[in-house]
Amino acid sequence: MRPLLLIDVDGPLNPYGGKPERRPEGYTTHRMRPDGWSGGKPLRVWLCPEHGEELTALAEVFDLVWATTWKGEANRWISPVLGLPELPFIDWPVMHGAAPRGTFWKTQYILDFAAGRPFAWVDDDITELDREFVAQRHLAAALLLGIDHRIGLTRPDFDALAEWATAL
């Protein structure tokens, strides 16, 4: 059984925490208005086309899944820019709700979705509490890769994901 690669958008793919006046190198600026966006003007999203190539390569060893508050809208707004096919997504039962033992709100649902499968998860809100929670409750292999929301995914992150999946 292939492992899952659970992908957050904001932080790993869209380094929203970077300096607003200086787009990170290699990224392009996109203005998007997903259904959940209630701001007056469109949301500024920075995306790096090379990330699509990297994720496509990882699809050789992972089943890719959106694990983002964008849910299925990631297929409408993010996938085309990165050259990705439509991906399954986690349809969060509750977003930004209560979480057990100080974990990130997504963590409990990540475990439900993985249902015992090995998985790697990239997100900018992963903490040690999440790693401990997953280690205690998930019997299969799991890699929780915290990503800096100012930088996004980098070459070492993609290498770590590929090495982890290959070692399974």
Side-chain angles (χ1 to χ4, degrees), residues 11-87:
L13 296 178
N14 171 29
Y16 67 90
K19 295 181 179 182
E21 68 280 356
R22 186 164 179 227
R23 180 178 63 218
E25 187 176 331
Y27 285 78
T28 55
T29 301
H30 304 270
R31 298 291 176 182
M32 301 180 178
R33 194 181 290 280
D35 289 342
W37 178 246
S38 58
K41 57 185 187 174
L43 179 65
R44 181 209 73 213
V45 179
W46 286 328
L47 295 171
C48 179
E50 290 178 9
H51 286 170
E53 296 167 16
E54 296 287 356
L55 290 170
T56 298
L58 288 173
E60 297 293 321
V61 292
F62 283 103
D63 290 336
L64 306 183
V65 177
W66 291 121
T68 173
T69 56
W70 290 69
K71 298 197 283 186
E73 288 207 79
N75 286 317
R76 178 178 172 202
W77 296 98
I78 307 300
S79 289
V81 175
L82 297 181
L84 295 174
E86 186 168 313
L87 302 177

Side-chain angles (χ1 to χ4, degrees), residues 83-107:
L84 295 174
E86 186 168 313
L87 302 177
F89 62 93
I90 298 176
D91 190 9
W92 313 106
V94 177
M95 290 199 304
H96 309 288
R101 297 184 36 216
T103 58
F104 180 40
W105 67 266
K106 287 182 183 178
T107 307

Side-chain angles (χ1 to χ4, degrees), residues 110-134:
I110 293 283
L111 291 183
D112 291 344
F113 185 86
R117 283 181 72 176
F119 71 86
W121 174 27
V122 293
D123 202 299
D124 59 308
D125 286 309
I126 293 170
T127 69
E128 279 308 309
L129 290 173
D130 299 300
R131 288 184 182 90
E132 291 170 17
F133 188 82
V134 169

